[in-house]
Amino acid sequence: MEFRELECFVVLSEELHFARTAECLYLSPGRVSQLVRSLETRIGGRLFQRTSRRVRLTPLGERFLADLRPAYDGLESAVSRARAAAREVTGVIRVGFLATPTDVVTGAVRVFERRHPGCVAELVEIPLSDPFGKLRAGQVDVAFTLLPVDEPDLVTGGGLNRVSHRLGLSVRHPLAGRARIGAEELAGVPLIGLDGPAPRFWHERIAPSVTPSGRPIPRAGKVATTQEGLTQVALGRGGMVFCTPSADQHGRSDIRFVPVTGLPPSILGLAWVKAAETAAVRAFEAAAAEHAAEPQAA
């Protein structure tokens, strides 16, 4: 038995008018009649007497209403409480981040927890080689990611930053002393790629296979995490492309991060599963956007 049929029966028993019932339920009068007939068929008897001038409950309808009312009121109250709870931003929201929680990440958390003191944001690292796995598995509610994202089951917010790239190289690499490197010069630098289930567009974003003019860029093996990549870079086994804020976070004596010109900017944003969107997810996206609009966000 469908809740909509019961709801229609209760409202019609109060209004005793098909048009007013339809207006209350945002339905057409024809749909109201259809729901009532369906319920009467399930029960096996007429619940209403209908004439051209009036509608009234039959004895069976009166008895059914008396028996149904306590349970219906309890169910309606439960639905109302559930809807109210769904609009609340409380408890815990799990936020995924890639490799390094830069100021875009930590600043968003601070703004969110200040605006919603009843909800705690827990940070969870997302593997660079599997950027959407934890989202789809329900292990995080929302995740910082590189935009744009071409995944039909995911929703993304707006861009939170637009930053340049740097090429991580061993201090012993011939290009490590350069002030900058042009994107076309990547054709002479084997790049470390990713080993994992990330979609093709993600692999290209982390380690492009061609320069902007179409020249092939050689590969230098694959890694699953940023730390694995940094280790390979330090050992002189290849270069790895980083966004500038992440490069700043990974500064070390055996690696040089050389600015790269001529590549499209790296854009960080938020993604979440469309079917699992909650008030907390929407509130976190708003907090991240608010922080990104502040001058100090990077």
Side-chain angles (χ1 to χ4, degrees):
M1 193 168 292
E2 296 182 7
F3 177 75
R4 197 60 160 165
E5 294 174 354
L6 298 178
E7 182 183 39
C8 188
F9 167 74
V10 171
V11 175
L12 183 57
S13 71
E14 295 170 346
E15 298 292 337
L16 296 176
H17 194 283
F18 278 81
R20 287 198 298 268
T21 298
E23 186 176 345
C24 289
L25 297 177
Y26 300 98
L27 299 173
S28 68
R31 179 58 176 157
V32 171
S33 296
Q34 184 182 36
L35 290 169
V36 170
R37 286 196 300 270
S38 177
L39 181 59
E40 289 175 332
T41 299
R42 293 178 191 274
I43 290 174
R46 297 289 295 274
L47 299 173
F48 294 95
Q49 287 183 350
R50 311 164 179 84
T51 69
S52 59
R53 295 187 176 183
R54 63 182 300 184
V55 177
R56 65 180 180 180
L57 287 164
T58 63
L60 176 62
E62 290 175 351
R63 181 174 178 178
F64 182 57
L65 178 62
D67 291 341
L68 172 66
R69 194 84 215 202
Y72 175 81
D73 288 345
L75 181 59
E76 187 178 40
S77 178
V79 170
S80 296
R81 289 195 299 270
R83 286 174 174 166
R87 292 192 294 267
E88 294 178 354
V89 181
T90 58
V92 175
I93 182 171
R94 297 157 302 173
V95 181
F97 68 91
L98 291 165
T100 305
T102 62
D103 178 68
V104 171
V105 177
T106 56
V109 170
R110 288 193 299 269
V111 172
F112 174 79
E113 292 185 339
R114 184 173 68 245
R115 292 175 60 171
H116 305 281
C119 191
V120 175
E122 291 185 351
L123 289 175
V124 179
E125 185 172 1
I126 299 291
L128 192 63
S129 59
D130 186 13
F132 310 124
K134 288 189 176 182
L135 268 177
R136 291 178 171 133
Q139 295 174 332
V140 296
D141 303 300
V142 63
F144 285 92
T145 192
L146 298 176
L147 300 182
V149 169
D150 184 19
E151 298 290 298
D153 61 325
L154 302 182
V155 178
T156 60
L160 301 174
N161 69 356
R162 296 174 67 89
V163 296
S164 58
H165 292 86
R166 294 187 187 180
L167 179 65
L169 295 168
S170 165
V171 293
R172 296 179 298 278
H173 194 282
L175 298 178
R178 293 273 296 275
R180 63 186 59 83
I181 295 173
E184 292 301 320
E185 293 180 89
L186 294 177
V189 181
L191 292 184
I192 296 167
L194 294 179
D195 181 17
R200 180 175 177 80
F201 75 84
W202 187 266
H203 285 267
E204 282 294 316
R205 197 162 298 156
I206 300 301
S209 60
V210 296
T211 68
S213 70
R215 298 170 64 196
I217 300 174
R219 282 286 179 265
K222 297 180 178 181
V223 297
T225 68
T226 300
Q227 290 303 318
E228 289 179 8
L230 289 168
T231 300
Q232 296 300 306
V233 170
L235 291 172
R237 295 174 180 171
M240 192 167 182
V241 178
F242 295 83
C243 69
T244 294
S246 291
D248 291 341
Q249 294 285 330
H250 290 302
R252 46 193 286 179
S253 61
D254 53 355
I255 294 177
R256 293 286 183 271
F257 292 96
V258 184
V260 181
T261 61
L263 288 179
S266 174
I267 305 173
L268 193 68
L270 287 167
W272 58 92
V273 176
K274 186 185 306 182
E277 182 175 304
T278 64
V281 168
R282 292 190 294 271
F284 191 86
E285 198 276 333
E290 178 182 322
H291 175 67
E294 298 173 358
Q296 70 271 20

